[in-house]
Amino acid sequence: MKKMIYFSGLFLVSVLAMSMSLLPGTAYQVGDVVADFELKGVDDKMISLSDYMGDGGLILVFTCNTCPYAQLYEDRLIELHQTFAERGFPVLAVNPNDPISKPGDGFAQMKQRATEKEFPFPYLFDADQIVFPKFGATRTPEVFLLDANRVLRYTGAIDDNPKDAASVQKAYVREAIEAIQNGNSPEPTKTKAIGCGIKVKKA
Amino acid sequence: MFIVGLDYARPGQSVFGNVRFLLDILCVVKNQGLHMRIVSLVVFLSLAFLGRSQSGEIPILNFTALNETLNLESDTTYVLNFWATWCKPCVEELPFFEEADIAYKDRAVRILLVSLDFATQVHEKLVPFLKNHTINAHVVVLDDPDANTWIDLVHPDWTGALPATILYRQKDRQFKEGSFDSTADLFAYIDSFHLKN
């Protein structure tokens, strides 16, 4: 009898786990392995996550042209890339916004912004809005830090002071990369920040 | 101090409006000690006399100051909308909040628009924006850089994306990330919270 309860319990748990992983709302959590994806960049070439991964991992960031908080971080993203690309963690930027809701975030405008700012990293367009929901991204800018095994190790803010880079106390992404490189776990693994809600296509 | 600022924020509001709003606050402190009563009286009087000359000034608060407003223990339902002039969906739903501010005037519902506009742009952007859009509801600016420390204190479900709205009455809270579709949508949301037991 005990065994039966045990097995039916196990069965229930596994069914529950299976159904949960199939739910559309289930996004990657820290510790999950991220699936590869491929999107078009501002140079009109398709770039995949696996193509672009560094030896250490990748700084994936959902960002856009129009959000003031995203703009505040453009120079810091460039700096992160310049510091960490050669240490195995390049930046990969993805614009998730629907340009019908936000015309300044269209592909042509992305090209223009990338040229103006001389982005040293690829700037991809999630035109069909299929990538950002897998990550559970809700705002721009929002970082997803992956390690060499494509495991999600940190999500959230770039640092703790959007408005003033000089006053940053906690450089979350930088510290998380350094933790990974030293064989430690980033702490914290998740932070929140103010950002612009991602503009989702209206059905 | 914050409450003083809150009342200054409503341009074009009568002294009586300020007084009425303050009465709510006084109800909160009536069970407190003599010291609090005196403090409240001072705040009350200074507002009644000085409030008008200060109207148009928008208070800039850190989260510690805003958090006081998130923890008032009265029977009033407080509706706090987090927004910014540069946030398109926020701007689209702002008229609904202005309408709510008018429609719920005589009920125990208070609207507060918490702007995340940059503190340096209050005079050049926020003030003209409120004037152009005829927004008379209370506005404060929240200026506190390390959002990771306070977003969860507003509501654990908030990711930090704008717009976001929290309703609360005493310890009861209801939160929505994203925008409302219409005035009716917002009113239904407020009513579902305010009218429940």
Side-chain angles (χ1 to χ4, degrees):
Chain A
M1 187 59 191
K2 256 188 183 166
K3 237 182 188 171
M4 244 178 84
I5 293 173
Y6 175 75
F7 278 115
S8 56
L10 206 68
F11 176 74
L12 267 174
V13 166
S14 54
V15 166
L16 206 71
M18 272 168 67
S19 59
M20 270 170 71
S21 67
L22 292 174
L23 282 175
T26 313
Y28 299 132
Q29 301 295 317
V30 169
D32 287 356
V33 177
V34 165
D36 199 10
F37 64 79
E38 192 180 53
L39 293 170
K40 195 195 258 189
V42 287
D43 60 355
D44 289 314
K45 290 184 185 130
M46 298 299 284
I47 291 181
S48 74
L49 191 68
S50 52
D51 288 344
Y52 198 69
M53 290 277 294
D55 295 338
L58 181 84
I59 307 167
L60 173 67
V61 58
F62 292 97
T63 186
C64 68
N65 290 355
T66 53
C67 174
Y69 277 83
Q71 290 166 358
L72 283 167
Y73 276 109
E74 284 173 333
D75 290 344
R76 276 175 266 185
L77 284 175
I78 292 170
E79 204 188 309
L80 273 175
H81 181 79
Q82 281 163 349
T83 307
F84 287 106
E86 60 187 40
R87 289 163 62 178
F89 285 85
V91 167
L92 183 65
V94 176
N95 167 23
N97 277 345
D98 170 32
I100 295 164
S101 309
K102 201 80 194 180
D105 285 329
F107 195 54
Q109 288 80 359
M110 284 175 61
K111 287 182 173 183
Q112 196 185 337
R113 191 69 187 163
T115 309
E116 278 166 13
K117 294 298 292 183
E118 298 178 354
F119 284 162
F121 46 77
Y123 188 20
L124 314 182
F125 190 27
D126 189 9
D128 297 323
Q129 301 199 312
I130 47 169
V131 172
F132 87 78
K134 290 183 182 164
F135 285 84
T138 60
R139 62 183 187 272
T140 57
E142 189 172 357
V143 164
F144 294 83
L145 182 67
L146 309 179
D147 68 16
N149 300 318
R150 236 193 278 146
V151 173
L152 182 59
R153 302 294 297 272
Y154 166 82
T155 83
I158 293 160
D159 58 46
D160 67 352
N161 198 323
K163 288 164 202 170
D164 184 10
S167 303
V168 167
Q169 302 289 315
K170 284 168 270 181
Y172 297 122
V173 168
R174 181 178 286 268
E175 287 168 19
I177 293 173
E178 283 163 359
I180 295 169
Q181 287 182 324
N182 292 331
N184 300 322
S185 288
E187 181 54 45
T189 54
K190 202 169 161 53
T191 57
K192 291 182 173 182
I194 292 298
C196 305
I198 291 173
K199 310 298 180 291
V200 183
K201 273 193 181 111
K202 292 197 173 90
Chain B
M1 278 321 283
F2 159 68
I3 291 158
V4 177
L6 177 59
D7 273 85
Y8 288 173
R10 184 171 176 111
Q13 192 185 43
S14 71
V15 172
F16 296 108
N18 283 337
V19 168
R20 191 177 47 77
F21 190 81
L22 255 186
L23 284 174
D24 289 347
I25 311 295
L26 283 178
C27 291
V28 180
V29 294
K30 72 180 175 193
N31 296 324
Q32 312 275 345
L34 183 67
H35 174 71
M36 269 308 283
R37 284 199 214 182
I38 293 170
V39 169
S40 313
L41 193 68
V42 170
V43 170
F44 177 89
L45 289 175
S46 40
L47 248 173
F49 293 106
L50 297 173
R52 291 301 294 158
S53 64
Q54 295 285 328
S55 58
E57 285 293 319
I58 295 175
I60 299 170
L61 312 174
N62 62 15
F63 186 75
T64 311
L66 182 75
N67 204 23
E68 287 177 31
T69 325
L70 278 167
N71 290 286
L72 295 171
E73 291 189 8
S74 75
D75 284 333
T76 300
T77 292
Y78 293 89
V79 180
L80 275 75
N81 173 246
F82 292 82
W83 71 290
T85 56
W86 41 257
C87 160
K88 196 177 163 222
C90 304
V91 171
E92 283 167 0
E93 68 171 358
L94 214 53
F96 313 153
F97 285 92
E98 179 63 19
E99 285 189 49
D101 189 56
I102 296 162
Y104 288 89
K105 224 172 226 345
D106 299 322
R107 280 180 269 177
V109 175
R110 292 292 170 266
I111 310 287
L112 179 64
L113 303 175
V114 182
S115 161
L116 284 137
D117 277 85
F118 302 128
T120 49
Q121 296 180 345
V122 168
H123 288 285
E124 63 178 86
K125 277 191 83 178
L126 182 59
V127 172
F129 175 94
L130 294 172
K131 204 175 165 220
N132 293 341
H133 289 76
T134 25
I135 302 297
N136 291 313
H138 292 287
V139 178
V140 296
V141 170
L142 174 59
D143 184 28
D144 202 324
D146 188 9
N148 185 51
T149 59
W150 51 260
I151 287 173
D152 278 338
L153 298 176
V154 174
H155 201 281
D157 290 347
W158 189 15
T159 68
L162 295 180
T165 301
I166 182 163
L167 274 60
Y168 84 93
R169 182 170 52 194
Q170 302 195 4
K171 296 288 169 221
D172 199 8
R173 291 185 177 214
Q174 185 171 308
F175 175 80
K176 179 187 166 91
E177 182 166 306
S179 47
F180 292 92
D181 297 331
S182 61
T183 305
D185 186 21
L186 174 62
F187 284 19
Y189 191 77
I190 295 174
D191 287 343
S192 72
F193 181 81
H194 183 61
L195 301 177
K196 73 178 175 185
N197 293 324

